[in-house]
Amino acid sequence: MADESPKKATESKRPTHPIGVVIDNFDHAVRDIEASLIVLMPKACEFVLKNSKDAIAEMEDAIKQVEAKNDQTRHASFARLDAAFSRLERIEKTKIPFRLQECLFVGLFSVYDAYFGNLLQQIFKKKPTLYECIRSEIKTSEILKFSSINQLKEKIIDDFVDDIRRKSYIDQFSQLESIFSIPLRKFLNWPVFIEAAQRRNLLTHCDGVVSEQYLKVCSEVGYKFLDGNVPKVGSKLELEPEYFVAICLVVQEVGIKLAHTLWRKIFDDELEVADEYLSDMIYGNLKNNRLKVAVCLGEFAYTQKKISSEHWKLVIAVNYCIGLLQSGEAKQSANIINSFDLTSALPEFKLARAVLLRDFKKAATIMRKIGKQGEFVHELSYLIWPLFHEFRGRPEFQSAYKDIYGYEFLTEVKKAVSEKKSALKLINQTRDKISNVVEPENVATSVKSSSASRKKTKKHSSVAPIISNHSPSGST
């Protein structure tokens, strides 16, 4: 459930917040890494397989030519055979898919490290009194180089962030716990996060070969290896795709929970903004069918000791329950939504409870009461909100929708699809215009000839091609 006004159905009214922006950027960066793995790994495997097949086919054809009686053909075929054999030998030794996977895995933690620094920068900038927590010394000669106190502050925070970022994740979190007097490591996946970070170190420095240090750190944080199979020192760790995807979710969880924990602790007067950002993130993951992330963040948000208002408590609870229900946890979802007294609540929340409890007859009745436009339920809501995923296909919904809007729900769906097609058409037109400006393989020639052409036609034409830079925005 998203808290959107009917007038701004396709855009968020959420205020921009520097900490929220950092979190959003991190969230999408991690998802980019995950998507790169899913999209590029199969392509890399296909590339190796295709080149292997081509090399083998070339060898087989060359062998046939070698067996021919024509001496001239045989000599040329021996050269082809040698080249194909060399090519196949290289392909057999290549590990392109695995190198790509390792690079992406290391990149995942590079994304986290950059995010960690950006987060601290924003926190300290928003609350200058936190500078008192920094224990650092600067020479008088260095201080005199700065033209303002603000430049000096930037230097102090830059050095602090650089220093803490060089430490291990265990030491980083320990120092933050000390500075802000708040526990940050009491969650189930902390050992998993640390093991993955240690694995990143092995891949970066030891080609993935297990060291005593790796095993020691894993043991200290209580990491449990699958089926109790502790790897031996000197063995090589592999990156299974399932493991990689799982770690993407863990890194996402750690980064988002860290930011929201500090945000709510340090800026307790901004709870409502923090609640809205967190709720929107859960909602966004629900829309993209990322149920594990939605449930993880939903549980985190719902169990917060402080939530800005009963309204946001309900919004968060509904989003959490949607994730639980769609993950097969109907009983837990029902228990949570039934724990609320909705007597004086908005009809939208009563509609949500009816849908979550699969009381579709009651849900249809509430739909009719809400009408064409409620407090934050409107026509587009029925099309895009994950809450109505199952309900949309029910006859109770179809009948109520037609009664309210005067036409079939499918009519609105077709309209939405048509709008999406129009957006793609604009992108295709922009692509074609760019492609027609210059051929990629003839850049140098085209630029030269274009320049000469302009000199010849300067007196006859002053019209230049215009490339549209308009493109529809969206998220993945």
Side-chain angles (χ1 to χ4, degrees), residues 44 65 76 313 371:
Q65 296 297 323
K313 179 77 172 179

Side-chain angles (χ1 to χ4, degrees), residues 32 87 96-97 103 179 200 232 319 376 422:
D32 286 344
R87 180 182 173 191
I96 291 175
C103 289
I179 291 174
R200 182 274 305 264
K232 295 181 180 179
N319 285 331
F376 56 88
S422 297

Side-chain angles (χ1 to χ4, degrees), residues 23-57:
I23 297 171
D24 280 347
N25 290 341
F26 167 71
D27 175 58
H28 284 285
V30 173
R31 289 165 66 177
D32 286 344
I33 294 285
E34 182 185 345
S36 297
L37 172 74
I38 294 170
V39 172
L40 299 180
M41 273 290 287
K43 295 292 184 183
C45 292
E46 289 172 11
F47 172 81
V48 173
L49 288 171
K50 182 180 183 303
N51 277 271
S52 298
K53 291 177 181 178
D54 290 348
I56 292 172

Side-chain angles (χ1 to χ4, degrees), residues 170 185-199 214 217-225 243 247 250 253-254:
I170 295 175
R185 293 174 284 181
K186 292 184 178 180
F187 59 97
L188 190 63
N189 279 329
W190 170 252
V192 179
F193 175 65
I194 295 301
E195 185 281 329
Q198 289 297 310
R199 188 175 298 218
Y214 166 81
V217 173
C218 288
S219 176
E220 288 175 348
V221 296
Y223 179 75
K224 304 296 182 183
F225 289 94
Y243 170 85
I247 295 304
V250 169
E253 174 192 356
V254 171

